[in-house]
């Protein structure tokens, strides 16, 4: 079934009170003159750690939402409907220095509100050890006044979706900003899924089995987010606080499937699965940004988050009569604080700081309908303390040479208890030293070389070893024995006019990958995650822009080569993986901009997964008239997008084919009266710690 979505969005902003009529646009132009170069990408400038895009006068400022604007920028892949940095994956996004906690924050931000967007592909020591890419967004300066805005959205497809939101902000010339937001959504999706499993039972006489499963899955979910806070700028100093309450009152995922197999006594099985969840989170962020004597900058951040998740999952097989029910209750807490000091000594900028974070996850799990060997009712407590210290520098040796670097030290102490008894095998301590060093040559050809170490620790979900049902012969579980992975990155970046090239060599230690194993007692395959053997990866990323009168095409590509070997029997995962995209901007008459994109996900291996390739096209038309902005978009125009991935590991060959939730048509209509917004400058201390929850 084709997925056709009609989205109508109306955004109205009404100012009350008196606001300044100063020419902020001209002031912004003067401040950003240094980042403007010639040629088609005259709004883009390379930096030591990535590139920066000026939005002043940029046609992208008229596209509508900030999300749509960023998706059209170089080194960005938006084919999956979300922002991804080529070769780096999902970035951590900061808006005016504060980490974005919900994607709706960016969707509600207009492209015309943006002053600049910086895409960082080699983060400094200040950021968390597992961060691969950063996007720093700065908005335009606020105007004084009271602002009230409202937004409504409706979607029509296989599943109807609706959402609504309201915003209130007050900013005065004394630097005080008070703000509050509320949003509510009721949305869903539907997908068709096909799974193929070929596996064998390793014994004296090997037996081979095949399972084919088809499933129709859909999800309906409610969500509510409320936030409020204040920001106060006094002189060169700022302080503020923000509170966010998010809740999922109801979320329900259901699936109906048919399985044909020769691995079980009954060859044809129809099944039904259901997952109902409820959750809430309280999040508080406070910050202070001060300019001390001797030109010393001091930044302090404080975070607290507490939440709860409740879920009930059940599966029923009609022909076998088997019913499996799992109930899970968990509560999580997070506390983090961060202190940073910076100062400039001539041409050398120095920064140093420290962090502390504590996370705790209490879980109670019960299960019925399967042997205790696989589903054990238990009470788990996992807690972790993390300390980090970092220092970095940036030295402008000359107008053409720059050297930068830093070092980060992290110490983690995790403790695992099951049913009140400490598990010394699963309780671990880590001490990691993470250096980074780079040198930049600035000329018509801008070249940067760098070395960086990255560490990623498994989330609590990956550590949870309870089993989850997928098909009658396929289960999933976590692995509490996972350890942190480490990656050494050696990279080179080259920028020349409209051309961008990035090459990276990566040596991965204990990388986490998905594998499948046959379990004879369960008579099914089990998907889990393990620490893979050490292996090397070579990655090439390229982007080339052109300027042909009213046509502005950009060609981008990624090529990945790896030498991974794993399994029993041993398998090689070394097929080259690639992806290609063509983004086009057409400057049409009457001030209309057209964006036509084509994306091809190629074949090849990434970790233990093999992609069988797929493609899609998207079109966006944008027109601004006075205070109005109209944006018409169509994604996956021809309905060609599929998720087709295989994993061959040990004695199991697993294939998946998923279609749906990709094709839509949308119309966004925005109306704004003086839509400038105040800034909140707080940011999360340890976003990776919160993500673990």
């Amino acid at each position: 079934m084709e997925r056709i979505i009609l989205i109508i969005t109306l955004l109205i902003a009404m100012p009350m009170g008196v606001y300044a009529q100063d020419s902020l646009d001209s002031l912004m132009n003067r401040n950003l003159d240094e980042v403007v170069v010639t040629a088609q990408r005259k709004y883009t400038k390379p930096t030591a750690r990535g590139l920066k895009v000026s939005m002043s006068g940029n046609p992208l400022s008229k596209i509508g939402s900030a999300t749509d604007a960023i998706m059209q920028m170089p080194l960005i892949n938006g084919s999956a409907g979300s922002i991804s940095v080529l070769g780096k994956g999902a970035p951590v996004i900061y808006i005016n220095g504060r980490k974005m906690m919900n994607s709706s924050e960016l969707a509600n931000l207009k492209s015309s509100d943006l002053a600049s967007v910086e895409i960082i592909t080699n983060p400094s020591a200040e950021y968390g050890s597992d961060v691969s890419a950063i996007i720093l967004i700065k908005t335009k300066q606020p105007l004084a006044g009271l602002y009230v805005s409202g937004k409504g959205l409706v979607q029509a497809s296989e599943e109807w979706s609706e959402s609504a939101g309201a915003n209130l902000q007050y900013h005065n010339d004394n630097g005080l900003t008070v703000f509050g937001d509320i949003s509510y959504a009721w949305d869903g999706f539907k997908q068709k899924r096909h799974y193929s499993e070929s596996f064998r039972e390793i014994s004296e006489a090997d037996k081979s089995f095949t399972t084919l499963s088809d499933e129709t899955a859909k999800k309906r979910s409610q969500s509510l987010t409320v936030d409020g806070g204040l920001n106060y700028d006094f002189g060169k100093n700022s302080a503020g606080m923000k509170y966010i309450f998010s809740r999922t009152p109801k979320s329900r995922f259901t699936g109906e499937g048919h399985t044909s197999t020769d691995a079980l006594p009954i060859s044809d099985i129809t099944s039904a699965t259901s997952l109902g969840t409820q959750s809430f989170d309280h999040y508080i962020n406070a910050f202070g940004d001060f300019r001390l004597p001797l030109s010393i900058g001091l930044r302090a951040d404080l975070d607290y988050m507490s939440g709860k998740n409740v879920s009930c999952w059940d599966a029923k097989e009609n022909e076998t009569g088997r019913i499996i029910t799992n109930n899970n209750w968990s509560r999580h807490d997070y506390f983090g604080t961060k202190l940073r000091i910076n100062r400039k000594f001539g041409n050398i900028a120095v920064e140093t700081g420290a962090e502390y974070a504590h996370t705790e996850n209490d879980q109670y799990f019960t299960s019925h309908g399967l042997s205790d060997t696989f589903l054990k009712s238990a009470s788990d407590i996992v807690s972790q303390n993390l300390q980090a210290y970092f220092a970095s520098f940036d030295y402008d040796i000359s107008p053409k040479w720059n050297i930068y670097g830093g070092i980060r030290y992290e110490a983690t102490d995790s403790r695992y208890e099951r049913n009140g008894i400490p598990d010394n095998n699963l309780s671990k301590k880590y001490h990691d030293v993470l250096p980074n060093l780079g040198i930049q040559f600035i000329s018509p050809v801008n070249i940067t070389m760098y070395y960086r170490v990255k560490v990623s620790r498994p989330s609590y979900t990956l550590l949870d070893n309870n089993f989850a049902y997928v098909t009658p012969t396929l289960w999933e579980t976590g692995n509490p024995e996972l350890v942190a992975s480490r990656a050494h990155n050696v990279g080179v970046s080259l920028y020349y006019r409209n051309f961008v090239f990035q090459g990276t060599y990566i040596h991965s230690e204990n990388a986490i990958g998905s594998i499948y194993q046959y379990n004879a007692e369960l008579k099914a395959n089990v998907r889990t995650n393990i620490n893979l053997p050490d292996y090397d990866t070579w990655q090439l990323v390229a982007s080339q822009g052109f300027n042909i009168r009213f046509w502005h095409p950009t060609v981008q590509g990624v090529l990945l080569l790896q030498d991974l070997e794993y399994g029993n029997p041993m398998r090689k995962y070394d097929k080259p993986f690639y992806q290609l995209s063509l983004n086009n901007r057409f400057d049409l008459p009457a001030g209309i901009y057209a964006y036509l994109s084509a994306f091809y996900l190629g074949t090849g291996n990434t970790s233990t997964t093999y992609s069988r390739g797929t493609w899609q096209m998207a079109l966006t038309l944008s027109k601004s008239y006075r205070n109005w902005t109209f944006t018409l978009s169509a994604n996956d125009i021809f309905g060609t997008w599929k998720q087709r991935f295989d994993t061959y590991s040990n004695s199991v060959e697993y294939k998946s084919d998923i279609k749906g939730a990709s094709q839509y048509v949308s119309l966004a209509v925005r109306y704004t009266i003086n839509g400038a917004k105040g800034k909140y400058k707080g940011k999360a201390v340890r976003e990776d710690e919160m993500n673990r929850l």
Side-chain angles (χ1 to χ4, degrees):
M1 182 186 299
E2 290 187 343
R3 177 180 175 85
I4 304 296
I5 301 177
L6 174 63
I7 306 174
I8 302 177
T9 305
L10 179 62
L11 178 64
I12 302 176
M14 299 171 288
M16 304 179 192
V18 180
Y19 52 86
Q21 296 293 331
D22 190 16
S23 179
L24 292 180
D25 286 341
S26 63
L27 177 61
M28 191 64 64
N29 287 334
R30 291 197 299 272
N31 290 338
L32 295 175
D33 278 346
E34 61 181 9
V35 305
V36 177
V37 295
T38 59
Q40 184 262 335
R41 287 190 180 161
K42 62 181 181 179
Y43 308 103
T44 303
K45 174 192 173 182
T47 67
R49 296 185 179 273
L51 57 85
K52 188 173 184 179
V53 180
S54 168
M55 295 298 290
S56 179
N58 194 325
L60 288 178
S61 65
K62 300 180 181 181
I63 197 172
S65 74
T67 302
D68 292 335
I70 295 174
M71 284 184 178
Q72 296 294 331
M73 293 180 180
L75 298 182
I76 297 297
N77 170 27
S79 62
S82 58
I83 295 172
S84 177
V85 178
L86 287 178
K88 302 293 182 179
V92 178
I93 300 176
Y94 289 85
I95 302 175
N96 295 324
R98 182 185 63 82
K99 180 181 180 293
M100 187 181 74
M101 298 299 297
N102 192 296
S103 59
S104 63
E105 295 184 54
L106 193 60
N108 292 334
L109 188 63
K110 296 187 302 175
S111 56
S112 58
D113 289 336
L114 304 181
S116 66
V117 176
E118 185 172 358
I119 303 167
I120 298 175
T121 56
N122 175 26
S124 68
E126 174 190 350
Y127 299 101
S129 58
D130 66 340
V131 176
S132 296
I134 301 285
I135 291 182
L136 303 179
I137 298 173
K138 291 185 179 180
T139 60
K140 295 178 179 178
Q141 293 293 330
L143 300 177
L146 177 63
Y147 306 88
V148 179
S149 65
K151 179 180 179 180
L153 181 147
V154 61
Q155 296 183 154
S157 63
E158 303 101 338
E159 298 292 322
W160 279 88
S161 301
E162 306 88 24
S163 66
N167 166 268
L168 183 148
Q169 293 195 52
Y170 170 77
H171 179 76
N172 63 26
D173 290 328
N174 295 323
L176 176 65
T177 301
V178 180
F179 55 87
D181 302 270
I182 182 171
S183 62
Y184 173 81
W186 174 251
D187 53 31
F189 69 84
K190 182 180 288 187
Q191 289 181 326
K192 291 184 178 180
R193 306 178 177 187
H194 176 76
Y195 306 110
S196 172
E197 306 165 57
S198 298
F199 52 97
R200 72 176 188 269
E201 181 180 358
I202 300 177
S203 60
E204 293 182 0
D206 289 357
K207 297 179 181 179
S208 297
F209 304 102
T210 300
T211 297
L212 299 176
S213 299
D214 290 284
E215 180 185 40
T216 299
K218 64 179 181 179
K219 182 180 180 181
R220 298 291 294 169
S221 179
Q222 289 177 299
S223 61
L224 173 68
T225 303
V226 180
D227 68 67
L230 57 87
N231 194 99
Y232 181 50
D233 297 330
F234 50 104
K236 296 182 179 180
N237 307 307
S238 297
M241 176 178 289
K242 184 171 186 176
Y243 166 75
I244 301 176
F245 172 74
S246 58
R247 186 187 177 200
T248 301
K250 181 180 180 181
S251 178
R252 186 173 180 82
F253 175 89
T254 58
E256 295 183 357
H258 173 264
T259 296
S260 176
T261 181
D262 57 5
L264 300 173
I266 300 177
S267 59
D268 289 289
I269 301 173
T270 55
S271 60
T273 57
S274 175
L275 171 64
T277 61
Q278 292 179 316
S279 65
F280 70 82
D281 275 303
H282 299 276
Y283 172 69
I284 298 174
N285 170 257
F287 83 96
D289 202 342
F290 308 103
R291 180 60 58 180
L292 304 180
L294 302 177
S295 299
I296 298 174
L298 172 65
R299 171 82 186 210
D301 290 274
L302 180 69
D303 288 336
Y304 175 72
M305 184 172 73
S306 179
K308 181 180 179 180
N309 297 279
V310 178
S311 66
C312 179
W313 176 91
D314 60 76
K316 179 181 179 180
E317 296 176 358
N318 297 321
E319 287 73 17
T320 66
R322 183 167 62 167
I323 300 176
I324 305 163
T325 302
N326 298 336
N327 292 281
N328 191 85
W329 177 96
S330 66
R331 185 176 185 89
H332 52 264
D333 293 279
Y334 159 80
F335 170 79
T337 183
K338 179 178 180 179
L339 185 68
R340 186 188 69 190
I341 297 175
N342 64 82
R343 191 183 190 283
K344 194 167 185 179
F345 301 89
N347 294 334
I348 303 177
V350 179
E351 179 181 89
T352 184
E355 299 177 19
Y356 171 77
H358 172 79
T359 56
E360 183 168 321
N361 194 73
D362 300 350
Q363 175 181 262
Y364 181 68
F365 175 83
T366 61
S367 179
H368 306 281
L370 197 64
S371 168
D372 287 343
T373 304
F374 304 102
L375 297 173
K376 299 179 180 179
S377 299
S379 176
D380 297 336
I381 299 177
V382 184
S383 62
Q384 178 168 278
N385 293 309
L386 180 145
Q387 300 178 58
Y389 306 90
F390 61 89
S392 61
F393 72 93
D394 193 307
Y395 178 29
D396 293 326
I397 302 175
S398 70
K400 289 190 175 183
W401 289 95
N402 171 271
I403 185 171
Y404 63 90
I407 191 167
R408 183 181 184 89
Y409 170 75
E410 288 194 354
T412 58
D413 180 5
S414 60
R415 300 182 180 181
Y416 193 104
E417 291 185 8
R418 168 149 292 189
N419 297 324
I421 301 175
D423 190 326
N424 294 327
N425 293 325
L426 301 181
S427 301
K428 301 180 183 298
K429 295 183 178 181
Y430 298 100
H431 299 274
D432 297 300
V433 178
L434 310 172
N436 73 87
L437 181 65
I439 185 169
Q440 179 189 26
F441 175 70
I442 305 168
S443 184
V445 178
N446 191 300
I447 302 175
T448 301
M449 298 184 64
Y450 69 90
Y451 168 73
R452 181 174 185 260
V453 179
K454 175 176 172 285
V455 170
S456 298
R457 293 171 294 109
S459 66
Y460 292 137
T461 302
L462 293 180
L463 296 172
D464 184 2
N465 62 351
N466 291 312
F467 281 65
Y469 177 98
V470 181
T471 72
T473 58
L474 179 62
W475 292 74
E476 294 181 348
T477 186
N479 181 3
E481 297 183 0
L482 288 175
V483 300
S485 61
R486 190 179 184 93
H488 300 265
N489 294 261
V490 179
V492 59
S493 301
L494 184 149
Y495 302 86
Y496 179 66
R497 294 185 177 179
N498 303 328
F499 178 68
V500 181
F501 170 82
Q502 295 182 340
T504 310
Y505 162 75
I506 306 168
H507 178 70
S508 299
E509 301 172 354
N510 295 320
I512 297 175
S514 297
I515 60 103
Y516 292 80
Q517 293 177 308
Y518 178 73
N519 187 298
E521 185 176 356
L522 194 59
K523 295 186 180 301
N525 300 313
V526 177
R527 176 193 175 277
T528 188
N529 291 281
I530 64 164
N531 291 112
L532 297 170
D534 296 356
Y535 68 98
D536 298 320
T537 301
W538 295 264
Q539 179 177 273
L540 305 177
V541 175
S543 176
Q544 172 68 65
F546 300 91
N547 182 21
I548 308 172
R549 300 184 66 181
F550 62 89
W551 178 32
H552 309 281
T554 300
V555 181
Q556 301 189 132
V558 177
L559 175 64
L560 186 145
L561 307 169
Q562 63 180 36
D563 63 357
L564 174 62
E565 294 185 4
Y566 164 78
N568 181 24
M570 183 71 69
R571 292 182 182 269
K572 291 185 177 181
Y573 304 88
D574 56 1
K575 301 296 183 182
F577 169 78
Y578 66 97
Q579 62 184 51
L580 299 171
S581 64
L582 173 62
N583 297 330
N584 303 273
R585 190 187 90 226
F586 299 92
D587 302 337
L588 304 180
I592 298 175
Y593 294 96
Y595 301 88
L596 179 64
S597 302
F599 178 80
Y600 181 73
L601 181 69
T603 59
N605 287 113
T606 56
S607 186
T608 55
T609 301
Y610 179 80
S611 168
R612 281 182 279 130
T614 187
W615 69 281
Q616 66 163 301
M617 294 186 68
L619 174 66
T620 297
L621 298 174
S622 176
K623 166 65 178 175
S624 294
Y625 177 72
R626 295 184 178 178
N627 294 343
W628 296 87
T629 300
F630 303 88
T631 305
L632 177 65
S633 299
N635 194 67
D636 192 12
I637 299 173
F638 302 105
T640 54
W641 185 256
K642 293 183 179 181
Q643 301 177 44
R644 304 194 301 174
F645 301 104
D646 305 342
T647 301
Y648 297 173
S649 55
N650 302 309
S651 61
V652 180
E653 296 183 356
Y654 171 77
K655 296 182 178 181
S656 65
D657 196 329
I658 300 175
K659 180 177 174 59
S662 64
Q663 190 176 25
Y664 64 81
V665 175
S666 69
L667 173 64
V669 181
R670 296 173 181 267
Y671 180 72
T672 305
I673 302 176
N674 186 28
K677 298 181 179 180
K679 292 184 176 182
Y680 176 72
K681 299 181 180 180
K683 60 183 177 180
V685 175
R686 290 292 305 193
E687 63 275 359
D688 55 331
E689 285 293 295
M690 287 187 285
N691 291 339
R692 282 164 50 80
L693 302 174

